[in-house]
Each structure stands twice: as structure tokens, then as C-alpha cells.
Amino acid sequence: MNSIFRSAMGADFDRLHPELQRRFSVGLDSNEACVGHGVMDRIWHGRAFVKPFLALGATRNILVPRTGRDVPFTIENVPYSDSSGRETVTFVRTFALPSGPRRFDATMVLAPGGDRVLDYLGTHQHLASDLHPTAEPDGSLLIRSGVHRFREGPLDLRVPDLIGGDAEVRESFDEATGRFRIRVRVTNRRFGPLFGYTGSFAAEYRDVRSLGVRAGLRPVREETRA
């Protein structure tokens, strides 16, 4: 069984740097989890009016309402089967800010049709975003977000572009340092830059059969709608 990202990218996956191929092959078939430890050179956000929205999102571990430089962080990519039997991989980022740790949680599954990744954000998976990953000519990975949806109870609403954010994630491998480099930028089509961070990390791989999924890593609520 292919990993979520290999399935979504098809032959394009083989154009990624070999280290990125291994990292994004984390899944139930590989029996590997990936844990990265590194430093965010910079965490930033946009103009002052953005802060209340970031603070609201932070109550459910969505985005980070603080800025900082040289912030230690951890990213945990652990595969498991969710309550619907779908292969799921955690993308849980913990930022060790001076004011206290902040988390940015996401869980990813292969979307129906297999041509994209579905990214559930936060502890309760209220927000779902389509992700479109592609390989860049230099072997790095570029991920762009597509449609965003808000789901709570019977509600299933597309988030309007006016209030939504377009996310762009770039991840590469630096052979000189043996570290992954990551850059995340979220913008609004009308209001401009909202949030982002840039940093690097070293990754280690663990046997998921012995590691399992630690307490607190899975979301509190799982959204079954794709």
C-alpha cells in the first residue's frame, strides 16, 4: 500500500529528494513514524487585526498567535487508522515559545479519488483543507492549499475566499547540514500575509509498531466526512 503522499502525487513523488521520499512515505505500510527536532528561525504573523483570529484558532491548536525567533520546535508524523478505518498521519508541531509551548495540529488522509491530500486542522478537525503536493525541479516539495471547509454537527460549509487563507508549504533537504528546511506562508487574497514560519530540523525514524500513538497526539474529535 502506498503512503498518502505517494498515492496523491503518483510518478511525481519519485522526483523528490530521496530523504523527502522517505519522510513522506511514513505510513502503516512502512511501519515508520518520523519525529523531527529543530529550530524555527522566525515565526511571524500579519497586521494587528490578524491577532484575534490567530488567538481564536489557538484554542483548538490551529495556527500560532505568537511571534518569535530561534524557537525550538518538534514535529511528530505518526501513522494510525482513524475511527473510519482510513490511514491517517499526524502533523503535530509544538513550538517552545518563551511564553509557553504552542501546538499546531493537523491530521492528513488521502482524499476520495486519490488525487490530493485532505488536511484536518486542530484538535476537533473543524477545518478541512484540500492539499495539492508537487515536486519542484530541485527535488523539494511544494504543497498548496485548495478548498477549505468548516464542519461542525450538521454544518458543512465552504470557507469564503474573503476570510480564508491560502497556504503554501515548501520543504527541502539540505545535504550540507543533513537537515530538512521548511517554509510555511499563509496569505489572504484581500488582506495579504497572515501567518508563517521558516526553520530547519533533523529527523529520526521509529518503528511505529513499538512507538504507537502517544497520548494527546490524536485529535479529540474525528471528522468522518471527506
Side-chain angles (χ1 to χ4, degrees):
M1 181 172 63
N2 289 333
S3 70
I4 292 169
F5 277 82
R6 180 178 284 277
S7 295
M9 295 176 68
D12 198 34
F13 188 85
D14 295 323
R15 297 175 55 232
L16 294 174
H17 187 285
E19 290 293 338
L20 284 169
Q21 289 187 38
R22 183 181 184 186
R23 185 166 137 64
F24 286 91
S25 289
V26 163
L28 296 176
D29 189 53
S30 70
N31 289 316
E32 283 191 327
C34 178
V35 179
H37 299 279
V39 174
M40 283 300 167
D41 302 324
R42 180 186 176 215
I43 303 173
W44 59 269
H45 57 65
R47 290 177 287 175
F49 72 85
V50 173
K51 293 181 181 179
F53 298 100
L54 295 179
L56 179 62
T59 63
R60 294 293 173 88
N61 290 354
I62 302 174
L63 305 180
V64 179
R66 297 286 186 269
T67 62
R69 291 186 179 273
D70 301 324
V71 178
F73 84 101
T74 301
I75 181 167
E76 298 172 90
N77 301 121
V78 181
Y80 66 93
S81 291
D82 72 4
S83 57
S84 298
R86 298 175 300 182
E87 179 170 351
T88 307
V89 178
T90 66
F91 279 74
V92 172
R93 290 139 287 199
T94 303
F95 302 88
L97 288 155
S99 59
R102 293 281 185 171
R103 274 178 49 164
F104 183 6
D105 293 6
T107 42
M108 301 191 187
V109 303
L110 187 65
D115 60 341
R116 65 195 188 284
V117 174
L118 186 59
D119 184 16
Y120 293 111
L121 299 177
T123 55
H124 290 66
Q125 297 190 341
H126 285 131
L127 289 176
S129 299
D130 287 343
L131 299 182
H132 302 279
T134 56
E136 295 286 87
D138 63 354
S140 61
L141 176 65
L142 171 63
I143 303 174
R144 288 193 172 98
S145 65
V147 173
H148 306 290
R149 303 195 70 85
F150 175 80
R151 288 165 171 160
E152 169 60 29
L155 293 177
D156 184 1
L157 306 173
R158 178 169 176 165
V159 178
D161 292 340
L162 179 63
I163 61 174
D166 295 320
E168 182 177 280
V169 180
R170 292 180 182 271
E171 190 165 322
S172 61
F173 184 76
D174 186 341
E175 294 188 351
T177 62
R179 294 170 69 85
F180 292 90
R181 296 194 174 276
I182 186 166
R183 184 178 71 192
V184 173
R185 182 179 177 86
V186 182
T187 60
N188 177 272
R189 298 180 189 182
R190 179 174 179 180
F191 300 108
L194 301 178
F195 165 81
Y197 52 79
T198 304
S200 66
F201 61 94
E204 58 178 305
Y205 297 90
R206 303 175 184 176
D207 189 327
V208 74
R209 292 167 295 189
S210 58
L211 176 68
V213 183
R214 70 169 179 81
L217 201 61
R218 290 180 63 155
V220 174
R221 165 189 174 271
E222 289 185 343
E223 175 58 62
T224 60
R225 287 168 289 189

